Amino acid sequence: MIKYLLSLLLTSLALCGNAQTYLNPGVDTSGIEVQTALKFFNHYLAGFKGKELPDLSKFWKADELGERTIPDQQIYAINDSPLYSQGYKATILYIKPTDKYIHFKTQFSTVNDSVGNIMTIAVTNHYIVLNGKNGSRFINPFTINLASWRSKKLRNVTFFYPTKHQFNARKADSLIQQIIKLEKDWNLKPIEIRYYLANTWDELQKLRGFDFALSMGNREKPSGISDDKDNQVFCAGLGENYFHEVVHVYLNRLYPKSPIREGLAVFYGGSMGHSIDWQLKRVNTYLEKHPEVDLNNLEDFWYADLYTNPGSAIRGLICSIVYKKDGMMGLKRLMSYTSMKDIFKLKLKVEDGQWNSYLRKTINEHGKL
């Protein structure tokens, strides 16, 4: 058995050559179909350079490209830089041929040089079909995984949800009414949105093709992300009414350079299942216990606990202050600023060095309302 594994490992290294991937011992690469798929997969990963993406039309089926601008929903697993180009070690854990496709399971990881520990960033699933008229192509994990989900469309939102989930029409109607008001306030036309919901974040990550990603496996709480390139949202724990993420789809594209876009979503839809008032009370409690926190360096204050992002809550408070004073016109002018310094100085009339005292006082007053 040991000789067999060593033989497979040597074959794997020979096949990969200078490619971006390594093969875990035991991965069977015999057969022309597997070798063709492996070469295709390596070629795909090698095309990612910095934030530059390869020509996706050479790797993805036409119908997948028609569904999404970015069909590979695993590219931006960690941040706005592609997972495949961040220097992580890509180790193929197994390659499994089936009648419909060849399934690759790959681990992306890095090694802590000081202690030698491996840190896993993500474990992905890719599906490659070889018999297309244009050669090898990927099949989106959505195409495979959504086969066991249900869908329902209301107005401009198509909801996708697991079979075991009982669709809540009341929550969905509430979301639609909030969207209608948002469109009216900002003079916008409806956007067709795909809304994926599940009880847990892990379910949504598996839908996207992950066995594991850094955000998985933590204590469950309402959470979500938005994708304003392809007009889709992923919402866990709040069912059919996670308005926060829908706000991002509508308004992010209007103000791409605004430093307060997250605050606008908190102002409208709260954060992690709680209203802005709830969030600010927690921020106030935290600040009272931590006088050393300097809000003049607002970018450094991004974490208080698992349920509160203080930076987002504070930005939501700024949106609330401006809206109460100047209404929608003031809010729209606020979003046109491209730096927090300009927002404080020109909009709030607060000079540099005075942010800490101003924000602590304002948060404390708001927290007692």
Side-chain angles (χ1 to χ4, degrees):
M1 183 62 181
I2 294 176
K3 289 183 177 180
Y4 169 72
L5 291 176
L6 287 174
S7 176
L8 280 177
L9 178 58
L10 292 173
T11 302
S12 300
L13 293 174
L15 279 170
C16 283
N18 294 322
Q20 306 234 128
T21 58
Y22 299 84
L23 296 186
N24 212 46
V27 177
D28 184 359
T29 58
S30 61
I32 187 64
E33 289 188 343
V34 169
Q35 293 175 20
T36 300
L38 179 58
K39 182 178 180 181
F40 172 79
F41 188 52
N42 282 329
H43 183 46
Y44 178 62
L45 295 184
F48 288 85
K49 296 177 174 59
K51 291 192 175 183
E52 181 183 347
L53 304 184
D55 182 355
L56 297 179
S57 67
K58 295 180 179 179
F59 298 94
W60 289 85
K61 296 176 67 177
D63 55 345
E64 302 284 13
L65 292 166
E67 283 285 313
R68 295 175 180 83
T69 306
I70 307 294
D72 189 342
Q73 294 290 291
Q74 298 168 105
I75 290 177
Y76 300 109
I78 309 304
N79 51 39
D80 61 356
S81 293
L83 170 67
Y84 313 138
S85 64
Q86 295 194 60
Y88 300 125
K89 182 176 180 180
T91 302
I92 297 175
L93 302 178
Y94 81 59
I95 304 174
K96 185 174 184 178
T98 73
D99 293 338
K100 296 181 179 179
Y101 47 73
I102 297 177
H103 181 188
F104 280 65
K105 195 180 294 288
T106 309
Q107 174 179 294
F108 292 86
S109 58
T110 185
V111 177
N112 185 321
D113 291 332
S114 62
V115 294
N117 291 336
I118 295 175
M119 181 175 71
T120 299
I121 307 300
V123 177
T124 64
N125 291 280
H126 290 83
Y127 305 90
I128 299 172
V129 61
L130 302 179
N131 59 356
K133 63 179 180 180
N134 295 319
S136 302
R137 289 293 185 271
F138 286 110
I139 301 175
N140 201 316
F142 278 78
T143 302
I144 296 169
N145 297 331
L146 279 176
S148 62
W149 284 43
R150 294 179 178 175
S151 66
K152 185 177 182 64
K153 183 170 184 178
L154 293 180
R155 193 176 181 260
N156 61 311
V157 179
T158 302
F159 297 89
F160 297 89
Y161 51 94
T163 303
K164 64 184 178 181
H165 176 82
Q166 185 173 354
F167 188 79
N168 190 320
R170 181 181 59 81
K171 280 189 174 183
D173 288 339
S174 177
L175 177 69
I176 296 301
Q177 292 308 311
Q178 291 176 85
I179 290 174
I180 291 172
K181 185 178 186 304
L182 186 75
E183 291 170 353
K184 181 178 179 182
D185 287 345
W186 293 83
N187 193 28
L188 299 172
K189 294 181 179 179
I191 295 174
E192 292 294 321
I193 294 175
R194 281 174 287 202
Y195 186 114
Y196 302 94
L197 68 100
N199 290 330
T200 69
W201 183 244
D202 287 8
E203 287 181 278
L204 293 173
Q205 291 292 71
K206 289 177 180 178
L207 173 69
R208 297 172 69 199
F210 293 103
D211 280 354
F212 172 78
L214 281 180
S215 61
M216 294 174 66
N218 296 316
R219 187 176 301 173
E220 292 298 339
K221 61 182 182 296
S223 56
I225 58 172
S226 60
D227 173 6
D228 58 3
K229 292 184 179 68
D230 287 313
N231 302 332
Q232 53 187 6
V233 297
F234 301 86
C235 305
L238 274 184
E240 294 78 2
N241 192 7
Y242 207 149
F243 187 46
H244 175 112
E245 300 300 343
V246 174
V247 171
H248 280 308
V249 171
Y250 269 91
L251 301 185
N252 274 13
R253 68 193 67 199
L254 300 182
Y255 304 98
K257 296 182 179 180
S258 171
I260 208 163
R261 294 187 303 177
E262 179 64 19
L264 190 62
V266 173
F267 167 71
Y268 273 111
S271 178
M272 289 183 274
H274 296 284
S275 69
I276 184 174
D277 293 339
W278 187 92
Q279 294 286 347
L280 287 170
K281 285 179 181 179
R282 290 178 71 88
V283 173
N284 187 53
T285 299
Y286 184 89
L287 290 173
E288 287 178 340
K289 294 179 180 178
H290 295 273
E292 76 281 2
V293 173
D294 184 4
L295 299 183
N296 289 310
N297 302 313
L298 190 56
E299 295 296 332
D300 295 337
F301 188 39
W302 58 270
Y303 181 82
D305 56 43
L306 288 172
Y307 304 97
T308 303
N309 183 320
S312 298
I314 290 171
R315 285 167 171 78
L317 173 61
I318 292 172
C319 291
S320 179
I321 291 169
V322 171
Y323 179 75
K324 288 177 181 177
K325 181 181 178 182
D326 299 321
M328 283 302 304
M329 291 304 298
L331 202 55
K332 291 176 181 179
R333 285 195 295 270
L334 171 68
M335 297 305 297
S336 68
Y337 290 104
T338 58
S339 75
M340 290 303 295
K341 282 189 175 183
D342 286 346
I343 288 173
F344 274 97
K345 184 174 183 178
L346 303 177
K347 194 65 182 175
L348 301 178
K349 309 302 181 185
V350 179
E351 296 293 335
D352 290 353
Q354 297 178 6
W355 296 12
N356 186 56
S357 57
Y358 170 81
L359 287 173
R360 281 181 175 270
K361 179 176 182 294
T362 306
I363 292 167
N364 183 262
E365 291 173 349
H366 192 95
K368 293 179 178 179
L369 294 178

